[in-house]
Amino acid sequence: MLPLLLFLNFLLSASALNDNAFPENFKFGVATAAYQIEGGWDADGKGENTWDHYTHYFPDSIADKSNGDVACDSYHKYKEDIELLKELGVSVYRFSLSWSRILPQGTANYVNQAGVDYYLNLLKLLNESGIEPLVTLYHWDIPQPLQDLGGWSNPLMVNYFADYATVAFELFGDYVKMWATFNEPQSFCLMGYINNEYSHFAPGYDLEAEGSYLCSATILKAHAKAYHIYDEQFRDKQNGKVSIVLVVNWNEPATDSADDMKAQELGLQFGMGIYANPIYVGNWPQLMIDRVANRSKLEGYSKSRLPEFTEEEIKYIKGTSDFFCLNHYTTDLVSYAYEDDMIGVNSSYTLDKGITTSYNSSWKEAQVSTWNHMVPWGLRKMINWVDQNYGHPEIFITENGWADDGSSLDDPDRIEYTEGYLSSVLDAIYEDNVNVVGYTHWSLMDNFEWSFGYTSKFGMVSVDFKSENRTRTPKSSYYWYKCIIEARSLADDCAVPSESSGRSLATNVFAVIISVILAIYYL
Ligand code: GBH
């Protein structure tokens, strides 16, 4: 009977997990972003940025009316953060630079030395600790003076960003071998520039028809310019890599109808292809070009609402990434939702895309950030789609994480989520032969979660936002992740003391019932 029970236990617990070891060079880490953790919003000469402005002037837009004025206070407590990183055993720390801490007005004519020193201290300490930085230049916090000029819907931003990138490469490039220009333009070009009524996201524009595509075009040119500057002026002596962080939910067709298959392609092209295609293939995805041109014409525009790139621009943007930074959290079920009568009613990105999304009710839903569902196999499909569409790039998973309300230091769901998604990464590596080289979990610690304020927690370390000290306390998931990093495999017994077993309660109950039935039968 014992072998049978063991076999059953194996089936129930381990069958879904890939027990291969992570490749020798695979890098484990955690991720954060400047506005979400630093605080010190006006410390030592820092200028105002769009999130300072938005949270101060429109506090009602944030769930708990909070802001990032102090956040985790990492501006003062970065040494503690690095202690936590060392104890965790990570080899990479992904964080972002606050543009207005370095260039308070946004422009490069004046550099704030105190801001520069903050990042130099951080980078030197990471270096001494043997932790490699992956640095994002822009994680959503544009200097307010540049926002006032229209932000990313203003094509002149290309030059301001290029100047900022030049300053950053020059000052920090000796310490940084992995750069990302932008974090998720998919997110801020949509949430910030269209539909603010729903998204509550800085700068809070409602430019549904025009704004998001203008933003996307500007971002692509600004990214490309920064890449070329690195190539021409810094690569020889600094020898680093430059990329851009892109995100999309996996789009799973709701049914196997031809329409829903089409919805999948639309969702992935309008979500990911909009940035990845120009950078890895050349020009916007043809599907987007045709669709927006057609709809624009029917809506009475003289030309497409999607800005056209010149041949020269297409060449300039193509090939400007040395590795693929992929953020991925969750999966949507997608259906084709295009009706002829949509034409002429409204011009918008959303209608151009023409799909609706839903969830499978069996997918576990995160607390507070209820957009986040636990669908580990979606990551494997996502990685494969990126691999196949963009020429087998080296892929780094720069964000992946799970939200809860932070009420307990015991966070079995976060462990279950991370274990499942890491297993999916191993499937992609070993079953599908995709080159995934690293993973930085979102996030090191609880932080300012944009429009959710401090109500939604993604951290492996809890932060007491009520204490002046912003006391940090590791959660169960932190100890679990530490063990996995050490073991470099999911097969090891990294279970933490408590009910956190990495599998669901239902599975456990099922296993116990079956065991009891079998025991009775054999007795
Ligand atoms: C990441 O984006 C961000 O890079 C990071 O800063 C953030 O803390 C982390 O997610 C966790 O949220 O509110 O229903 O409109 C992930 C992609 C895109 C997911 C926007 C949430 C809004 C869903 N995000 N999306 S909803």
Side-chain angles (χ1 to χ4, degrees), residues 18 145 251 457:
N18 188 316
N251 284 227
K457 322 273 186 168

Side-chain angles (χ1 to χ4, degrees), residues 431-490:
E431 312 288 325
D432 315 325
N433 241 318
V434 183
N435 188 16
V436 190
V437 298
Y439 173 94
T440 44
H441 186 83
W442 185 272
S443 176
L444 167 64
M445 57 191 158
D446 295 342
N447 55 50
F448 178 78
E449 178 52 24
W450 311 113
S451 61
F452 292 98
Y454 299 101
T455 63
S456 173
K457 322 273 186 168
F458 276 87
M460 286 185 160
V461 173
S462 148
V463 176
D464 180 2
F465 293 102
K466 293 200 182 78
S467 79
E468 205 180 322
N469 194 31
R470 295 298 190 273
T471 311
R472 286 124 161 90
T473 314
K475 305 179 189 177
S476 304
S477 57
Y478 175 94
Y479 296 110
W480 172 83
Y481 193 38
K482 177 180 161 68
C483 172
I484 294 294
I485 294 173
E486 235 164 58
R488 300 190 68 79
S489 150
L490 301 171

Side-chain angles (χ1 to χ4, degrees), residues 33 36 94 139-140 183-184 187 191 198-199 247 249 327 329 369 371 399 442 447-452 458:
Q36 296 179 270
R94 173 173 178 240
H139 199 122
W140 307 354
N183 181 67
E184 299 184 356
S187 298
M191 294 190 291
Y198 306 105
S199 46
V247 66
N249 295 348
N327 284 3
Y329 286 80
S369 293
W371 53 268
E399 277 182 42
W442 185 272
N447 55 50
F448 178 78
E449 178 52 24
W450 311 113
S451 61
F452 292 98
F458 276 87

Side-chain angles (χ1 to χ4, degrees), residues 22-23 26 424-437:
F22 284 91
F26 191 88
S424 204
V425 168
L426 286 171
D427 289 344
I429 294 174
Y430 287 101
E431 312 288 325
D432 315 325
N433 241 318
V434 183
N435 188 16
V436 190
V437 298

